[in-house]
Amino acid sequence: MRHIMDTQASLDAESYLIPFSQNVKLSSQFFKHFSPLDQEYVKATASVMKEDFLESAKILLPESRKKCVLICLGPKEDWTLRRARLLFRKSFNSLRECNARSVGMCLSDFVGPNIDISTVAKEAALNVEMAAYEFKEYKQKSEKEAPTIETMVYTVAPSTRARQCEKQVRMGGTIGRHVNYARTLSNIPGSDMTPSKLAASAKECGKKYGFDVQVLDEKEMRKLGMGGVLGVSRGSSEEATFIIMEYTGTSAKRAPIVFVGKGITFDSGGLNLKPSNSMDEMHMDMSGGAAVISALSAIADLKLKAHVIGLVPAVENMPSGQSYRPGDVLTSMSGKTIEIANTDAEGRVILADALTYAEQYKPTHIIDVATLTGACVIALGHHALAVLSPNDLFAKTICETGEVSGDYAWQLPLWNEYESDIRGTVGDVLNASKSREAGTINGAMFLYQFAKSFKHWAHLDIASTMTTASDQHLSKGASGTGVRLLVELAHCLSKK
Ligand code: BES
Ligand code: ZN
Ligand code: ZN
């Protein structure tokens, strides 16, 4: 999609987005181009609509024959960044139904006591991109090529800094496209998005956006002693890969931030096979990996002044005669042995090696992102991902950044009291506790055993936000969770 900043305010578009709160503001930039009759028609329509947030109507102007979507912002004091995100998406969906190819909107219409013009500009472009996304790769040609909105034209009220807004629109559009790329990586079926395909996609991104990508094969992982990754991979006929990405937007000598993503390209559960109704979404179990690959792409595309490493162990978890078994003991790269209580708790086993591998970088901050536990979905539903860290301040920074980025995050405790649940009987650590209690905390507590050397480490469980929820006004399937948060974190942690 093209995003155009129209500083002349000629706003030449096939359709318009007109927000209102109590009354239509005739100060908006489109009305200069509307005839008195059309203006009156807009006002009259709004006056008979309910004044609830997201209440909307599609109208055809009687004189100019322009298509418009009228949408209610709700009471001014309740108009927030959170609401703005939903409104931009819902409006875009309505405008798409009008069959217009271009949409005009005035960014200044969305400014309020709780949201400034620069935020409006970024979030409008970002959320319009996210709303426009549909995964059509596997649809027949006619549906793939159906016409849709191609251009967004923005303007601002006179005396607003249009240049700054233009930059923000560009940034929002860029981040939105990388979120959508993560959604595609996750949405592609497991048979087509194997560990080697995921590695090839990372390489493609590196070439396109300017970061270095190296891929270790199983032989190289054996040399490094990655018994966790190799153990989980044993049951699959697909070779595991270990993807290493490095973006150097500042001195390479500066200690980096490391992002680690779970890259299980399909999680059948292994010998502890998942029940049949819990398996169909498990091609998205590499969503953490997709978030890390796409975040590096976005960071490089935006040319952030940061040094960022991305690590993605990519593995398929399958049952077979070669599979790792419940009761097996794997020796991880750290030397710690992992007692396998359940082969379906495979994510933490591969991440253990990735965390040990990350030690060589001596990172200022390290964050792992993983669709780790079903318990996370039970705890938080689909509107927040879970943050766990031994460092309370770091966890709080991440939650605040979640609010700013749109990837909402909520902290769960990682207290020592929980450590006893994952103590091994035969091996050093147990990959799953015997009870179903505190599943998300136990997963994080396991990972913590391999992250104790880091000053700032946090674990993000994104199982809850892996797929979109119906009231998010996004197409069904993968949500691209984590990309916005990681990009924002790379930006603010590198400033310090
Ligand atoms: N990939 C799953 C977790 C998951 C569930 C992600 C639902 C997204 C949606 C993970 O590997 C898993 O199976 N975890 C087990 C752990 C248990 C055996 C300790 C779970 O949550 O049941
Ligand atoms: Zn699993
Ligand atoms: Zn999994």
Side-chain angles (χ1 to χ4, degrees):
M1 193 187 321
R2 289 193 310 157
H3 298 268
I4 297 172
M5 194 71 198
D6 175 14
T7 46
Q8 304 304 311
S10 57
L11 266 184
D12 187 17
E14 279 180 28
S15 67
Y16 293 105
L17 173 58
I18 306 176
F20 69 96
S21 181
Q22 284 165 345
N23 212 328
V24 173
K25 268 196 298 180
L26 286 179
S27 60
S28 185
Q29 294 300 294
F30 345 91
F31 292 113
K32 288 198 285 200
H33 313 285
F34 286 12
S35 68
L37 175 67
D38 283 352
Q39 291 189 20
E40 200 44 52
Y41 187 73
V42 169
K43 274 184 75 171
T45 312
S47 73
V48 295
M49 285 170 65
K50 277 207 282 188
E51 287 174 3
D52 296 340
F53 174 55
L54 293 185
E55 190 69 25
S56 72
K58 299 187 199 93
I59 57 171
L60 181 69
L61 299 184
E63 258 183 31
S64 65
R65 317 297 294 168
K66 293 270 190 196
K67 297 156 178 171
C68 295
V69 164
L70 269 167
I71 190 157
C72 184
L73 305 176
K76 262 272 166 312
E77 61 279 12
D78 294 344
W79 176 240
T80 55
L81 172 54
R82 275 183 172 245
R83 285 198 155 186
R85 291 184 174 115
L86 295 175
L87 183 132
F88 293 137
R89 295 176 193 169
K90 174 153 191 210
S91 312
F92 185 87
N93 292 339
S94 300
L95 286 155
R96 180 164 42 196
E97 286 163 10
C98 296
N99 293 324
R101 298 297 188 90
S102 57
V103 178
M105 63 186 278
C106 175
L107 297 170
S108 307
D109 291 350
F110 301 91
V111 174
N114 307 312
I115 172 165
D116 61 20
I117 187 79
S118 151
T119 309
V120 166
K122 176 184 165 195
E123 294 293 335
L126 201 162
N127 286 284
V128 154
E129 280 289 347
M130 285 178 72
Y133 175 85
E134 286 174 293
F135 183 61
K136 288 184 176 176
E137 248 97 315
Y138 291 80
K139 298 276 188 195
Q140 61 181 335
K141 211 169 164 214
S142 57
E143 196 169 328
K144 259 190 204 166
E145 290 168 3
T148 182
I149 296 168
E150 288 159 0
T151 314
M152 293 295 300
V153 190
Y154 307 93
T155 189
V156 289
S159 84
T160 309
R161 280 187 303 169
R163 278 267 167 279
Q164 173 65 15
C165 290
E166 190 173 13
K167 253 177 74 181
Q168 291 290 102
V169 160
R170 211 174 315 127
M171 185 199 287
T174 302
I175 296 172
R177 279 189 296 277
H178 290 291
V179 171
N180 291 343
Y181 183 73
R183 291 164 84 181
T184 295
L185 288 178
S186 294
N187 280 328
I188 292 175
S191 56
D192 289 340
M193 187 46 70
T194 58
S196 55
K197 291 268 179 60
L198 191 63
S201 305
K203 278 194 169 162
E204 231 170 76
C205 290
K207 211 178 261 169
K208 195 160 167 196
Y209 301 110
F211 59 89
D212 196 58
V213 183
Q214 269 192 60
V215 179
L216 306 183
D217 60 19
E218 288 196 354
K219 203 170 141 203
E220 288 162 303
M221 285 189 254
R222 204 156 291 123
K223 266 193 213 147
L224 290 169
M226 291 185 166
V229 178
L230 293 168
V232 175
S233 181
R234 258 175 25 210
S236 171
S237 52
E238 293 290 336
E239 281 247 335
T241 59
F242 191 92
I243 309 165
I244 304 160
M245 296 163 278
E246 178 164 15
Y247 167 69
T248 320
T250 178
S251 163
K253 290 199 194 93
R254 241 177 96 172
I257 301 167
V258 176
F259 296 145
V260 181
K262 169 176 171 182
I264 294 290
T265 59
F266 185 73
D267 182 11
S268 67
L271 290 177
N272 292 106
L273 197 67
K274 283 183 181 295
S276 39
N277 59 359
S278 317
M279 213 190 283
D280 59 322
E281 289 187 338
M282 283 302 122
H283 58 289
M284 295 186 228
D285 208 21
M286 33 56 73
S287 295
V292 170
I293 294 168
S294 300
L296 262 101
S297 300
I299 291 161
D301 203 359
L302 294 167
K303 301 193 167 52
L304 294 191
K305 290 189 178 60
H307 185 195
V308 185
I309 305 283
L311 302 176
V312 180
V315 185
E316 189 179 50
N317 186 22
M318 288 298 225
S320 84
Q322 270 74 51
S323 290
Y324 76 138
R325 307 163 185 78
D328 276 0
V329 179
L330 306 175
T331 303
S332 70
M333 187 179 171
S334 71
K336 274 199 180 69
T337 57
I338 303 172
E339 182 177 338
I340 302 301
N342 191 320
T343 61
D344 197 10
E346 80 300 333
R348 61 198 78 181
V349 178
I350 66 166
L351 290 172
D353 283 344
L355 288 169
T356 303
Y357 188 87
E359 285 177 3
Q360 64 188 285
Y361 298 106
K362 299 189 171 58
T364 58
H365 301 83
I366 173 162
I367 300 168
D368 72 74
V369 196
T371 47
L372 210 73
T373 63
C376 183
V377 193
I378 305 299
L380 296 173
H382 292 294
H383 297 295
L385 57 87
V387 183
L388 299 101
S389 173
N391 186 324
D392 214 36
L393 261 180
F394 188 37
K396 294 218 154 52
T397 303
I398 294 174
C399 291
E400 281 160 21
T401 312
E403 211 54 46
V404 174
S405 69
D407 273 326
Y408 305 133
W410 200 256
Q411 188 185 359
L412 293 178
L414 193 65
W415 296 326
N416 293 335
E417 281 85 343
Y418 292 96
E419 216 156 22
S420 55
D421 285 352
I422 51 139
R423 214 156 278 148
T425 314
V426 182
D428 296 325
V429 274
L430 204 58
N431 83 325
S433 78
K434 298 276 180 259
S435 85
R436 294 173 61 221
E437 292 169 3
T440 305
I441 299 172
N442 282 330
M445 195 39 99
F446 176 94
L447 293 174
Y448 181 39
Q449 308 310 306
F450 299 87
K452 294 208 169 170
S453 70
F454 303 118
K455 193 155 168 239
H456 296 100
W457 164 75
H459 160 63
L460 309 183
D461 194 331
I462 55 164
S464 49
T465 49
M466 178 177 84
T467 53
T468 59
S470 60
D471 47 359
Q472 289 170 346
H473 305 283
L474 297 171
S475 64
K476 266 198 188 148
S479 68
T481 178
V483 179
R484 288 173 292 167
L485 178 57
L486 294 184
V487 173
E488 193 62 41
L489 280 168
H491 175 71
C492 62
L493 297 176
S494 302
K495 273 196 291 199
K496 285 181 187 157

